[in-house]
């Protein structure tokens, strides 16, 4: 997509710059590596001397009919601004007036259209890590709200601290938590290569599919299955179809364990999160 301007950083300066550009008619892409806007200002409730949040000073430029309770902390809405959270700038090419930016979107593993912010997932999550929003003074679960009051108010999964217990997946009443989001991305990449991909939710579905269809030649197997250990899954796959090529997908913390399966028939190991340039050379 083409934009007139790219603003990197969704803190108070980035929001102000985006609003100023948008008011001139420019189409703006505002990105931030975090899952919420506002930067450190979102952690400050009342400020001297007005005893108000400093973000309110920008409200005259914001579409009041769209902004929730006229509060910029809760959401930024402008017809000329596209907000991309959990997104980083990884490359910038071109020249003045004709730049090409490459962005990387970090998956949240939660569908914002389905999440109702009920907190059932956070209640059952066993992981506890320092809460960045509260400056590390308290603990939060791996599945959490990046900041209170934001809109859309959906939870995100911190995969670096996730224990892969799948408790949040089972507890979610709307099915919003979906660890297959990452898989859907490279399904689109492989379409361009005319490479068909069948996605299943767990080991049991994979085994059923393999037993009913003998046309598969390659399996991309995630180390984190909700119903089977990798050892059990590999042994069952090899029992069904020995001619299959097996590729394991593993996070950085599981790479060494995945490498140990090479001797059991695994041909390769790829690291998550997956990237198009490495998956589809």
């Amino acid at each position: 997509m083409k934009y007139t301007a790219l603003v990197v950083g969704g803190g108070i300066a980035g929001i102000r710059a985006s609003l100023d550009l948008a008011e001139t008619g420019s189409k703006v892409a505002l990105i931030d590596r975090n899952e919420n806007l506002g930067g450190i200002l979102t952690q400050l409730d009342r400020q001297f001397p007005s005893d108000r949040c400093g973000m309110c000073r920008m409200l005259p430029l914001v579409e009041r009919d769209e902004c929730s309770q006229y509060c910029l902390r809760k959401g930024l809405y402008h017809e000329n601004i596209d907000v991309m959270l959990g997104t980083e700038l990884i490359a910038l090419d071109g020249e003045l007036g004709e730049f090409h930016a490459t962005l990387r979107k970090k998956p949240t593993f939660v569908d914002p259209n389905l999440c109702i912010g009920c907190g059932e997932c956070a209640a059952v999550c066993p992981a506890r890590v320092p809460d960045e929003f509260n400056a590390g003074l308290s603990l939060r679960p791996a599945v959490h709200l990046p900041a209170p009051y934001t809109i859309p108010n959906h939870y995100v999964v911190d995969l670096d601290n996730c224990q892969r217990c799948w408790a949040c997946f089972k507890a979610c009443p709307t099915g919003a938590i979906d660890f297959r989001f990452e898989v859907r991305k490279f399904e689109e990449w492989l379409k361009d290569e005319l490479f068909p991909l069948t996605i299943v939710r767990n080991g049991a579905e994979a085994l059923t599919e393999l037993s009913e269809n003998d046309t598969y030649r390659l399996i991309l197997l995630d180390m984190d299955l909700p119903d089977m250990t990798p050892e059990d899954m590999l042994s069952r796959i090899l029992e069904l179809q020995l001619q299959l090529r097996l590729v394991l997908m593993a996070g950085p913390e599981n790479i060494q364990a995945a490498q140990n399966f090479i001797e059991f028939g695994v041909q390769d190991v790829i690291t998550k999160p997956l990237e198009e340039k490495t998956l589809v050379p």
Side-chain angles (χ1 to χ4, degrees):
M1 182 175 289
K2 289 187 177 182
Y3 292 93
T4 308
L6 171 67
V7 177
V8 181
I12 197 69
I15 293 175
R16 181 77 223 194
S18 299
L19 287 169
D20 288 343
L21 288 166
E23 283 299 302
T24 66
S26 300
K27 186 65 176 176
V28 182
L30 172 61
I31 69 171
D32 195 292
R33 69 175 63 184
N34 297 314
E35 295 297 338
N36 63 286
L37 285 175
I40 195 172
L41 196 61
T42 59
Q43 298 173 279
L44 304 176
D45 189 17
R46 305 285 181 175
Q47 300 173 35
F48 179 84
S50 63
D51 202 28
R52 291 166 48 190
C53 171
M55 287 179 136
C56 295
R57 298 174 184 175
M58 293 190 291
L59 281 175
L61 288 179
V62 181
E63 296 178 349
R64 288 181 175 271
D65 292 339
E66 298 294 333
C67 280
S68 199
Q69 297 183 21
Y70 312 139
C71 177
L72 197 56
R73 289 181 66 180
K74 293 189 175 184
L76 171 62
Y77 302 88
H78 196 289
E79 62 180 3
N80 289 330
I81 300 177
D82 285 344
V83 179
M84 306 175 192
L85 299 176
T87 303
E88 290 186 271
L89 176 67
I90 61 174
L92 187 64
D93 304 309
E95 55 188 18
L96 189 62
E98 193 65 35
F99 285 109
H100 181 270
T102 302
L103 308 178
R104 176 184 293 160
K105 169 71 175 175
K106 181 174 65 175
T108 64
F109 300 99
V110 178
D111 188 339
N113 297 315
L114 295 178
C115 180
I116 58 176
C118 64
E120 294 293 329
C121 53
V124 299
C125 179
R128 289 294 181 272
V129 296
D131 186 358
E132 303 88 345
F133 181 82
N134 200 29
L137 298 176
S138 61
L139 300 178
R140 64 159 175 81
V143 54
H144 65 288
L145 279 176
Y149 317 122
T150 57
I151 295 177
N153 199 31
H154 70 86
Y155 281 68
V156 300
V157 177
D158 175 9
L159 208 61
D160 292 335
N161 294 293
C162 176
Q163 297 182 4
R164 313 302 199 271
C165 65
W166 292 78
C168 59
F169 175 81
K170 298 173 183 176
C172 182
T174 62
I177 298 178
D178 191 347
F179 291 96
R180 294 175 296 155
F181 270 12
E182 193 174 16
V183 178
R184 291 195 181 113
K185 287 192 304 182
F186 68 78
E187 180 184 22
E188 297 177 359
W189 303 338
L190 293 173
K191 280 182 180 179
D192 296 335
E193 304 296 322
L194 302 179
F195 193 101
L197 183 68
T198 300
I199 300 176
V200 295
R201 295 177 295 179
N202 51 50
E205 284 191 16
L207 293 174
T208 300
E209 184 70 25
L210 289 171
S211 63
E212 296 176 352
N213 192 332
D214 61 358
T215 61
Y216 295 108
R217 294 296 178 265
L218 172 67
I219 289 185
L220 298 173
L221 178 62
D222 200 314
M223 286 281 288
D224 301 313
L225 292 174
D227 58 345
M228 281 188 194
T229 64
E231 295 92 336
D232 292 341
M233 188 65 188
L234 285 171
S235 62
R236 293 294 305 278
I237 289 175
L238 293 174
E239 288 174 7
L240 287 171
Q241 298 190 30
L242 293 175
Q243 73 273 22
L244 285 171
R245 292 181 60 84
L246 298 171
V247 176
L248 276 181
M249 301 182 295
E253 72 283 357
N254 288 327
I255 284 296
Q256 186 56 53
Q259 294 287 354
N260 295 334
F261 288 106
I262 297 293
E263 59 185 271
F264 295 102
V266 172
Q267 278 75 36
D268 197 6
V269 175
I270 55 179
T271 306
K272 300 187 300 181
L274 303 172
E275 296 183 10
E276 184 175 7
K277 62 183 179 182
T278 56
L279 184 68
V280 187

